[in-house]
Amino acid sequence: MALTGLQIFKLLPGTNCRDCGYTTCLAFAMKLAAGQVSLDKCPTASEDIKATLGAASAPPIRGVTIGKGERAITVGEETVYFRHDKTFVRPTGLFRMIDPNRLSDGEIEKHLDDWATIGIERAGELFRVDGIAMIEPAGSRERYARLAEAISRRGMPVALMASTIDGVRSAVEKIKDQRPLIVPSPGVDQSPFVALAAEFKLPLVITGKDLDDVAATAVDAAKHGVTDMLLEPPAKDARELHQNLSRLRRGALDRIHPGLGYPIFLRVAAGEFDKVVIGITKFASLVAMENAAGEAWLPYWTLRQNIYTDPQKPLQIDPSVHSIGEPDENAPLLVTTNFSLTYFIVSTELDGTGVPSRLAVVDAEGMSVLTAWSAGKFSGEKVAKELRRLGATEHVKHKTVIIPGYVSVISGELEDALGDGWRVLTGPQEASDLNAFFRDVWQPMMNG
Amino acid sequence: MSLKLQPKKWPGKIREVTLGAGNRQPRTVGGGNGLPLHTFEADFPHRPVLALEVTDINPPRWLDIVREPWEGLLGKPADAARKAAEQYGADLIMLNLMGTHPDRGGRSPDQAAIDVEAVLDAVRVPLIVKGPGAGAKQNDVLARVAEKYHGEGLVLHSACQEDYKTLAAVTVAYGHVLVSESPIDLNIAKQVDILLSDVNINLDRVLIDPLTGGLGYGLEYTYSVMERIRLAALGGDQMLNSPMICLVGEEVWKVKEVKVSERQEPRWGDQETRGINWEVATAWSLIEAGAEVVVLRHPDSLARVRKILDAWFAEGASNNTR
């Protein structure tokens, strides 16, 4: 919990020495509480105060960055249990695991070339493989270093899934400037890995037999100089995974233990689709997964996009008139809101009808049709104004506009507002019925 | 320093609603007194249940991937229901009377009743009956079915804010369960439950359908509205504590990401597995958000979600069936 100005004031020396730049300790305390100034401005603050304040002002879950450059990924920094309370801020990093014990270097290079270039655009987001989790090859330190370097060379963040300290050290030495994540195998003695992470100031995954053990190990690692950590909870099945993820997030937000305030790491075997779904919805920060192809990645990416969308800011697209196929002046003109999902669905269905048409997407602040209408953003007058502004009325000869079936009530008002002989036709409620609408209503009308 | 992880306790709990009566083997949902699936800190006398969707006519817009498991059974609801319950392991059946819609043949309420009777004869699991959608026909069809098969505890889908009186009346008169639908909106969900209780429906006979957005098509809205409804219920709101039902299959199997073949989009991977993954991801996310009744289309999706639930609720499962 953040401290109030008065709580902080009680911890300050109370000398009003002004060395901090403020006239009184109280004024300084207020600025501290607001996060507008740092405690090091106070020359006489004791170590105790620094520790207390430092802990209180730190975010409940530390932000940890893996990788360097454009593709570096930061995870953590979450502040809520439910996305509707604010938003989830750092989308789950999805890492592809590679096992060099099953592949030749040539095959690995080919995979890396491929995965580094994957980029699927959806609703304004570019879906990519966020990083590579490289398992330590048996028997060759040089090979591990070489493979780690091969990932870094392509700009992708690296997780080193290490089984031996010597192996991972050789890889770390090769790419230490690339901020790789060190991931010891579960069950190994973690102390040498802690020392290595501390020495190179690198992020480290902490494991444990239960959450008590994980938290205690994290505190111990912090004492030994590791600042950036991810916690890997035990997860033998979906239920245990969900339980531990939920308790870790809640414990971190409630600040019940200093060892819990870190992002969460999760490794999943091939075919454990459900664990990834649970991880994305329930607080996992970084998931390293074995063999999974596009048919799994596409739903993962899309789920992550949904869960990490800011609930306060609906996805919207720019208002404009979209052509479906090659519409002429007799083609139907439809209108809908600029909520991106509404647009996706309507344009997908329009495309499916095979009838060339124009879809006027009007500014309704990114709300869906019914919501926009009830908020007064999709009234007859507003829609008329937008249709004129976008020039939608200039494209067609028939002076007819089709409105969504759910807002049939605006048709009179819209006709009046458009004037000039325009008429309004009420379309179907669901975009999926557009095909039947064109067949049964639009075409007979145009032909008759 | 060991962790003090206190279980979170809530003043409210979810209502228990029993689906199916008469010749049905009844199945109760709800009753939980904690956040969904938080089995480590709350009690859940009943687990979420899974339904498969069967149709009265050969559905014109179903993809081949979801048609294949029902080969030869599409438009034969009794045979499809038998396969769904006996072979595919559905806890209950949803009969979608899509053929009663004026655009899809406009089958009469009497024809619909014949289909319902055939399904009721074929299986003993509870039955959800879905009408053609809002409008006069919806009430005609569902009221006819409700009257004719009184006492079977049918789940009638659905009533909404603008039109609930007819279905509320037959639900009370003939001993059924009513689904109250709202457009991804907590306030309207509450309003419909208030309206229903005003016309003397016992809310122990109501399920909330918050309206499902499929993965990539509004899932996040449904997810958060459901979480908020659940929190309100656990906080003690008696007008929002009905169990929730989500019609996942019909939302999933129409989106672009399941329709496009691997040949068209090689990066998207195998189309069949992708579609099933899409349905599983949508279903599971909504179970996490509080869905207690989930309606699916592909039996493989049902099998996969069921496997997770079976393991989840394996302990203390003896009281889960009734």
PDB file of all heavy atoms in Angstrom, chain B residues 65-82:
ATOM      1  N   ILE B  65     -16.077 -28.446 -40.893  1.00  0.00           N
ATOM      2  CA  ILE B  65     -15.388 -28.963 -39.701  1.00  0.00           C
ATOM      3  C   ILE B  65     -16.371 -29.313 -38.586  1.00  0.00           C
ATOM      4  O   ILE B  65     -16.204 -30.308 -37.878  1.00  0.00           O
ATOM      5  CB  ILE B  65     -14.351 -27.932 -39.196  1.00  0.00           C
ATOM      6  CG1 ILE B  65     -13.259 -27.742 -40.243  1.00  0.00           C
ATOM      7  CG2 ILE B  65     -13.747 -28.361 -37.869  1.00  0.00           C
ATOM      8  CD1 ILE B  65     -12.394 -26.526 -39.988  1.00  0.00           C
ATOM      9  N   VAL B  66     -17.420 -28.509 -38.412  1.00  0.00           N
ATOM     10  CA  VAL B  66     -18.410 -28.851 -37.377  1.00  0.00           C
ATOM     11  C   VAL B  66     -19.527 -29.721 -37.922  1.00  0.00           C
ATOM     12  O   VAL B  66     -20.299 -30.281 -37.151  1.00  0.00           O
ATOM     13  CB  VAL B  66     -19.059 -27.623 -36.683  1.00  0.00           C
ATOM     14  CG1 VAL B  66     -18.319 -27.279 -35.428  1.00  0.00           C
ATOM     15  CG2 VAL B  66     -19.194 -26.449 -37.604  1.00  0.00           C
ATOM     16  N   ARG B  67     -19.620 -29.845 -39.213  1.00  0.00           N
ATOM     17  CA  ARG B  67     -20.649 -30.747 -39.775  1.00  0.00           C
ATOM     18  C   ARG B  67     -20.200 -32.200 -39.657  1.00  0.00           C
ATOM     19  O   ARG B  67     -21.003 -33.096 -39.418  1.00  0.00           O
ATOM     20  CB  ARG B  67     -20.904 -30.413 -41.250  1.00  0.00           C
ATOM     21  CG  ARG B  67     -21.412 -29.006 -41.499  1.00  0.00           C
ATOM     22  CD  ARG B  67     -21.619 -28.753 -42.983  1.00  0.00           C
ATOM     23  NE  ARG B  67     -22.822 -29.435 -43.456  1.00  0.00           N
ATOM     24  CZ  ARG B  67     -24.038 -28.893 -43.401  1.00  0.00           C
ATOM     25  NH1 ARG B  67     -24.199 -27.666 -42.944  1.00  0.00           N
ATOM     26  NH2 ARG B  67     -25.080 -29.564 -43.808  1.00  0.00           N
ATOM     27  N   GLU B  68     -18.892 -32.389 -39.814  1.00  0.00           N
ATOM     28  CA  GLU B  68     -18.377 -33.756 -39.923  1.00  0.00           C
ATOM     29  C   GLU B  68     -18.743 -34.665 -38.742  1.00  0.00           C
ATOM     30  O   GLU B  68     -19.186 -35.794 -38.949  1.00  0.00           O
ATOM     31  CB  GLU B  68     -16.862 -33.702 -40.125  1.00  0.00           C
ATOM     32  CG  GLU B  68     -16.301 -34.997 -40.626  1.00  0.00           C
ATOM     33  CD  GLU B  68     -14.827 -35.134 -40.296  1.00  0.00           C
ATOM     34  OE1 GLU B  68     -14.299 -34.315 -39.517  1.00  0.00           O
ATOM     35  OE2 GLU B  68     -14.217 -36.062 -40.801  1.00  0.00           O
ATOM     36  N   PRO B  69     -18.591 -34.186 -37.489  1.00  0.00           N
ATOM     37  CA  PRO B  69     -18.941 -35.086 -36.377  1.00  0.00           C
ATOM     38  C   PRO B  69     -20.431 -35.427 -36.327  1.00  0.00           C
ATOM     39  O   PRO B  69     -20.832 -36.347 -35.619  1.00  0.00           O
ATOM     40  CB  PRO B  69     -18.545 -34.289 -35.126  1.00  0.00           C
ATOM     41  CG  PRO B  69     -17.752 -33.124 -35.590  1.00  0.00           C
ATOM     42  CD  PRO B  69     -18.068 -32.892 -37.027  1.00  0.00           C
ATOM     43  N   TRP B  70     -21.242 -34.670 -37.060  1.00  0.00           N
ATOM     44  CA  TRP B  70     -22.696 -34.880 -37.064  1.00  0.00           C
ATOM     45  C   TRP B  70     -23.166 -35.420 -38.403  1.00  0.00           C
ATOM     46  O   TRP B  70     -24.347 -35.317 -38.740  1.00  0.00           O
ATOM     47  CB  TRP B  70     -23.401 -33.546 -36.762  1.00  0.00           C
ATOM     48  CG  TRP B  70     -22.919 -32.895 -35.510  1.00  0.00           C
ATOM     49  CD1 TRP B  70     -22.037 -31.851 -35.407  1.00  0.00           C
ATOM     50  CD2 TRP B  70     -23.266 -33.235 -34.161  1.00  0.00           C
ATOM     51  NE1 TRP B  70     -21.818 -31.521 -34.085  1.00  0.00           N
ATOM     52  CE2 TRP B  70     -22.560 -32.364 -33.293  1.00  0.00           C
ATOM     53  CE3 TRP B  70     -24.106 -34.206 -33.599  1.00  0.00           C
ATOM     54  CZ2 TRP B  70     -22.667 -32.423 -31.909  1.00  0.00           C
ATOM     55  CZ3 TRP B  70     -24.206 -34.258 -32.213  1.00  0.00           C
ATOM     56  CH2 TRP B  70     -23.495 -33.383 -31.382  1.00  0.00           C
ATOM     57  N   GLU B  71     -22.239 -36.000 -39.142  1.00  0.00           N
ATOM     58  CA  GLU B  71     -22.530 -36.520 -40.477  1.00  0.00           C
ATOM     59  C   GLU B  71     -23.801 -37.382 -40.470  1.00  0.00           C
ATOM     60  O   GLU B  71     -23.924 -38.315 -39.683  1.00  0.00           O
ATOM     61  CB  GLU B  71     -21.329 -37.359 -40.942  1.00  0.00           C
ATOM     62  CG  GLU B  71     -21.381 -37.822 -42.381  1.00  0.00           C
ATOM     63  CD  GLU B  71     -21.465 -36.668 -43.363  1.00  0.00           C
ATOM     64  OE1 GLU B  71     -20.655 -35.734 -43.232  1.00  0.00           O
ATOM     65  OE2 GLU B  71     -22.350 -36.699 -44.249  1.00  0.00           O
ATOM     66  N   GLY B  72     -24.748 -37.023 -41.329  1.00  0.00           N
ATOM     67  CA  GLY B  72     -25.982 -37.788 -41.430  1.00  0.00           C
ATOM     68  C   GLY B  72     -27.005 -37.460 -40.357  1.00  0.00           C
ATOM     69  O   GLY B  72     -28.112 -37.987 -40.376  1.00  0.00           O
ATOM     70  N   LEU B  73     -26.634 -36.607 -39.386  1.00  0.00           N
ATOM     71  CA  LEU B  73     -27.538 -36.329 -38.262  1.00  0.00           C
ATOM     72  C   LEU B  73     -28.026 -34.890 -38.247  1.00  0.00           C
ATOM     73  O   LEU B  73     -28.862 -34.521 -37.410  1.00  0.00           O
ATOM     74  CB  LEU B  73     -26.822 -36.618 -36.935  1.00  0.00           C
ATOM     75  CG  LEU B  73     -26.233 -38.024 -36.796  1.00  0.00           C
ATOM     76  CD1 LEU B  73     -25.440 -38.135 -35.502  1.00  0.00           C
ATOM     77  CD2 LEU B  73     -27.351 -39.060 -36.824  1.00  0.00           C
ATOM     78  N   LEU B  74     -27.482 -34.070 -39.158  1.00  0.00           N
ATOM     79  CA  LEU B  74     -27.888 -32.668 -39.158  1.00  0.00           C
ATOM     80  C   LEU B  74     -29.327 -32.564 -39.633  1.00  0.00           C
ATOM     81  O   LEU B  74     -29.697 -33.131 -40.652  1.00  0.00           O
ATOM     82  CB  LEU B  74     -26.950 -31.856 -40.060  1.00  0.00           C
ATOM     83  CG  LEU B  74     -25.534 -31.742 -39.483  1.00  0.00           C
ATOM     84  CD1 LEU B  74     -24.544 -31.331 -40.553  1.00  0.00           C
ATOM     85  CD2 LEU B  74     -25.515 -30.771 -38.320  1.00  0.00           C
ATOM     86  N   GLY B  75     -30.121 -31.864 -38.858  1.00  0.00           N
ATOM     87  CA  GLY B  75     -31.536 -31.781 -39.184  1.00  0.00           C
ATOM     88  C   GLY B  75     -32.319 -32.982 -38.670  1.00  0.00           C
ATOM     89  O   GLY B  75     -33.511 -33.102 -38.914  1.00  0.00           O
ATOM     90  N   LYS B  76     -31.617 -33.909 -37.976  1.00  0.00           N
ATOM     91  CA  LYS B  76     -32.310 -35.025 -37.309  1.00  0.00           C
ATOM     92  C   LYS B  76     -32.016 -34.890 -35.819  1.00  0.00           C
ATOM     93  O   LYS B  76     -31.144 -35.585 -35.272  1.00  0.00           O
ATOM     94  CB  LYS B  76     -31.794 -36.369 -37.823  1.00  0.00           C
ATOM     95  CG  LYS B  76     -32.068 -36.585 -39.302  1.00  0.00           C
ATOM     96  CD  LYS B  76     -31.492 -37.918 -39.735  1.00  0.00           C
ATOM     97  CE  LYS B  76     -31.689 -38.116 -41.230  1.00  0.00           C
ATOM     98  NZ  LYS B  76     -30.859 -39.207 -41.755  1.00  0.00           N
ATOM     99  N   PRO B  77     -32.722 -33.976 -35.172  1.00  0.00           N
ATOM    100  CA  PRO B  77     -32.320 -33.584 -33.814  1.00  0.00           C
ATOM    101  C   PRO B  77     -32.334 -34.729 -32.804  1.00  0.00           C
ATOM    102  O   PRO B  77     -31.482 -34.763 -31.916  1.00  0.00           O
ATOM    103  CB  PRO B  77     -33.311 -32.478 -33.447  1.00  0.00           C
ATOM    104  CG  PRO B  77     -34.435 -32.585 -34.421  1.00  0.00           C
ATOM    105  CD  PRO B  77     -33.864 -33.184 -35.666  1.00  0.00           C
ATOM    106  N   ALA B  78     -33.261 -35.668 -32.953  1.00  0.00           N
ATOM    107  CA  ALA B  78     -33.311 -36.747 -31.964  1.00  0.00           C
ATOM    108  C   ALA B  78     -32.068 -37.634 -32.066  1.00  0.00           C
ATOM    109  O   ALA B  78     -31.439 -37.978 -31.063  1.00  0.00           O
ATOM    110  CB  ALA B  78     -34.571 -37.577 -32.152  1.00  0.00           C
ATOM    111  N   ASP B  79     -31.695 -37.981 -33.310  1.00  0.00           N
ATOM    112  CA  ASP B  79     -30.514 -38.825 -33.500  1.00  0.00           C
ATOM    113  C   ASP B  79     -29.248 -38.090 -33.062  1.00  0.00           C
ATOM    114  O   ASP B  79     -28.349 -38.664 -32.438  1.00  0.00           O
ATOM    115  CB  ASP B  79     -30.387 -39.230 -34.978  1.00  0.00           C
ATOM    116  CG  ASP B  79     -31.544 -40.116 -35.413  1.00  0.00           C
ATOM    117  OD1 ASP B  79     -32.183 -40.721 -34.520  1.00  0.00           O
ATOM    118  OD2 ASP B  79     -31.808 -40.190 -36.626  1.00  0.00           O
ATOM    119  N   ALA B  80     -29.187 -36.806 -33.419  1.00  0.00           N
ATOM    120  CA  ALA B  80     -28.018 -36.019 -33.030  1.00  0.00           C
ATOM    121  C   ALA B  80     -27.929 -35.911 -31.512  1.00  0.00           C
ATOM    122  O   ALA B  80     -26.850 -36.025 -30.927  1.00  0.00           O
ATOM    123  CB  ALA B  80     -28.085 -34.628 -33.661  1.00  0.00           C
ATOM    124  N   ALA B  81     -29.064 -35.703 -30.859  1.00  0.00           N
ATOM    125  CA  ALA B  81     -29.076 -35.577 -29.398  1.00  0.00           C
ATOM    126  C   ALA B  81     -28.616 -36.873 -28.740  1.00  0.00           C
ATOM    127  O   ALA B  81     -27.856 -36.867 -27.767  1.00  0.00           O
ATOM    128  CB  ALA B  81     -30.473 -35.199 -28.916  1.00  0.00           C
ATOM    129  N   ARG B  82     -29.059 -37.998 -29.293  1.00  0.00           N
ATOM    130  CA  ARG B  82     -28.663 -39.300 -28.737  1.00  0.00           C
ATOM    131  C   ARG B  82     -27.147 -39.460 -28.833  1.00  0.00           C
ATOM    132  O   ARG B  82     -26.486 -39.857 -27.876  1.00  0.00           O
ATOM    133  CB  ARG B  82     -29.383 -40.425 -29.477  1.00  0.00           C
ATOM    134  CG  ARG B  82     -29.327 -41.752 -28.759  1.00  0.00           C
ATOM    135  CD  ARG B  82     -30.120 -42.847 -29.466  1.00  0.00           C
ATOM    136  NE  ARG B  82     -31.563 -42.643 -29.443  1.00  0.00           N
ATOM    137  CZ  ARG B  82     -32.314 -42.385 -30.523  1.00  0.00           C
ATOM    138  NH1 ARG B  82     -31.768 -42.306 -31.722  1.00  0.00           N
ATOM    139  NH2 ARG B  82     -33.619 -42.205 -30.412  1.00  0.00           N
TER     140      ARG B  82
END
